[in-house]
Amino acid sequence: EALNAWLRCTSWAEEAVGHALGRVAKVSSRNPWKCILISLLGCLLCGVGFLRFNAVSKARELWVDQASQQMKNLDWVEGYFAAGGRPCRLIITAKDGGNVLEFEKMREVFQVADDVRALLDGNGKVFADFCVLSQNSCFNAGVLRYIGNTSDFNETIESTADVLSAINAERYPDGADAYPSDSLGGIQRNASGSVISAAALRVDFILGLDQSAEEVKTWELA
């Protein structure tokens, strides 16, 4: 019974729509220019909204509620603490899926970092031409900050134990507080809370904000 009632309702709706469209077609055929004019006016009215059209490309403006508490907090932080640079981030994992902090794997991480620093863009520039300086050298955030550059690694790191000792330090060599969870992912700790392994790590190459945006983009795409 319910099915028959449903079928009768849909049949009636289809018939009503058909009659309505038929009447619209008759009116249109009798007054073609009026219909065209009304259609054009309707399109113009719908297009009025484009007068206030703004192109937005920033992800946080597209996807984050601008009135949210998170945005208010972010605006406050950026208002009092200016951004120090533009990060280009590498997320690195071990090829075998194991502990990325093992000595040989960390040696490869530093080699990758050297390869990135040596990238030559179409204008003949390298990372050192755009980087943020710290203590007269290019600043790299992430895991590299625990140890320094490749020369520092070769001089101070001889085993996985040395890597873990550096990672578990309370401060970076530059004196700032260090937090392993900020640079590592998939962390495992021992009973005393020290990091003993990690599945992934990050390396940031910080570009100066005073550089030409087009030149920086050229290097990023190299």
Side-chain angles (χ1 to χ4, degrees):
E1 184 64 30
L3 178 60
N4 290 333
W6 170 254
L7 292 175
R8 285 195 299 269
C9 288
T10 55
S11 177
W12 175 85
E14 289 177 1
E15 185 176 351
V17 171
H19 285 306
L21 292 176
R23 287 193 293 270
V24 171
K26 289 180 181 180
V27 172
S28 299
S29 63
R30 292 170 184 170
N31 305 280
W33 291 109
K34 290 182 179 179
C35 291
I36 293 173
L37 180 60
I38 291 173
S39 298
L40 290 175
L41 289 175
C43 290
L44 290 174
L45 288 174
C46 291
V48 169
F50 285 102
L51 295 176
R52 300 182 61 186
F53 178 81
N54 292 313
V56 178
S57 58
K58 294 183 178 179
R60 76 183 192 193
E61 293 183 8
L62 288 169
W63 307 112
V64 181
D65 181 2
Q66 299 300 293
S68 66
Q69 188 61 46
Q70 289 81 359
M71 281 303 299
K72 293 178 182 178
N73 293 342
L74 182 61
D75 290 339
W76 184 89
V77 170
E78 292 182 345
Y80 285 91
F81 304 97
R86 173 175 171 173
C88 295
R89 177 166 297 173
L90 297 181
I91 303 296
I92 300 176
T93 60
K95 295 176 182 178
D96 60 5
N99 181 13
V100 74
L101 298 178
E102 293 175 1
F103 174 72
E104 290 299 330
K105 294 171 184 174
M106 285 296 293
R107 187 196 295 274
E108 291 186 38
V109 169
F110 276 83
Q111 181 58 57
V112 169
D114 283 344
D115 292 343
V116 173
R117 295 189 187 101
L119 283 175
L120 193 68
D121 67 17
N123 297 321
K125 293 187 176 183
V126 295
F127 173 62
D129 296 312
F130 304 104
C131 71
V132 169
L133 295 176
S134 175
Q135 299 178 343
N136 298 319
S137 62
C138 288
F139 177 70
N140 285 109
V143 164
L144 299 190
R145 192 175 178 186
Y146 285 98
I147 299 171
N149 56 32
T150 304
S151 176
D152 296 324
F153 179 86
N154 292 335
E155 291 177 4
T156 61
I157 306 299
E158 297 181 350
S159 65
T160 299
D162 291 335
V163 174
L164 295 177
S165 177
I167 294 296
N168 284 295
E170 294 184 357
R171 295 181 180 275
Y172 294 112
D174 58 22
D177 292 336
Y179 305 95
S181 58
D182 183 53
S183 302
L184 303 172
I187 294 175
Q188 292 186 6
R189 300 176 183 269
N190 59 19
S192 64
S194 297
V195 174
I196 56 174
S197 72
L201 57 80
R202 71 175 175 90
V203 177
D204 289 350
F205 297 84
I206 313 298
L207 306 178
L209 296 177
D210 57 342
Q211 305 291 338
S212 164
E214 288 300 321
E215 289 186 347
V216 169
K217 186 175 181 180
T218 298
W219 181 82
E220 289 177 327
L221 297 175

